[in-house]
Amino acid sequence: MRTITVDDMLPVVNSMKRLMTRIDPDGEHLGTTDVNEAFRLVQEARFDVVFLDVEMPVMNGIQAAKRLQQIEPLLNIIFITGYSE
C-alpha cells in the first residue's frame, strides 16, 4: 500500500509514517507538511490513502481533499486532526 500523510506539524507526519510502516512494513509511506508538495506527489504517482489534516495554514483539509479528488478521483482520504471538536 502507498500512503501519504499531509499535516502542517512535522512530528505528526513522522509519527504517522512510523505507524504506517509498523502496520504495513512492505508499503511505501510518505509524508509532507506542504500541501502543494502533496498535490505534486499525487499527480506523479498512485497512492492508496491520504491522511489529511483538517486544519492547515495555507489551505484547510476540506479544500485540499477536493483538489486531491480532482487529481485522483479514486483516492481514499482519511481526515486527521489534533482538535477534540
Side-chain angles (χ1 to χ4, degrees):
M1 176 172 29
R2 293 190 78 217
T3 69
I4 182 170
T5 298
V6 185
D7 194 300
D8 58 316
M9 297 180 63
L10 186 58
V12 172
V13 170
N14 291 335
S15 292
M16 285 297 293
K17 286 173 26 182
R18 283 192 303 272
L19 175 65
M20 291 308 301
T21 299
R22 279 198 320 256
I23 292 169
D24 179 27
D26 295 327
E28 183 178 2
H29 309 289
L30 305 178
T32 182
T33 58
D34 181 350
V35 71
N36 289 313
E37 181 180 5
F39 297 147
R40 182 185 58 78
L41 290 168
V42 170
Q43 284 177 329
E44 291 176 359
R46 184 186 170 283
F47 285 87
D48 299 295
V49 178
V50 172
F51 295 98
L52 186 58
D53 187 15
V54 175
E55 293 294 328
M56 295 183 288
V58 175
M59 177 183 296
N60 74 43
I62 305 301
Q63 294 165 324
K66 289 177 182 177
R67 182 151 174 213
L68 286 165
Q69 285 188 318
Q70 289 173 345
I71 296 168
E72 178 51 61
L74 298 178
L75 185 64
N76 295 291
I77 298 172
I78 299 174
F79 290 104
I80 58 175
T81 185
Y83 296 101
S84 60
E85 297 178 13

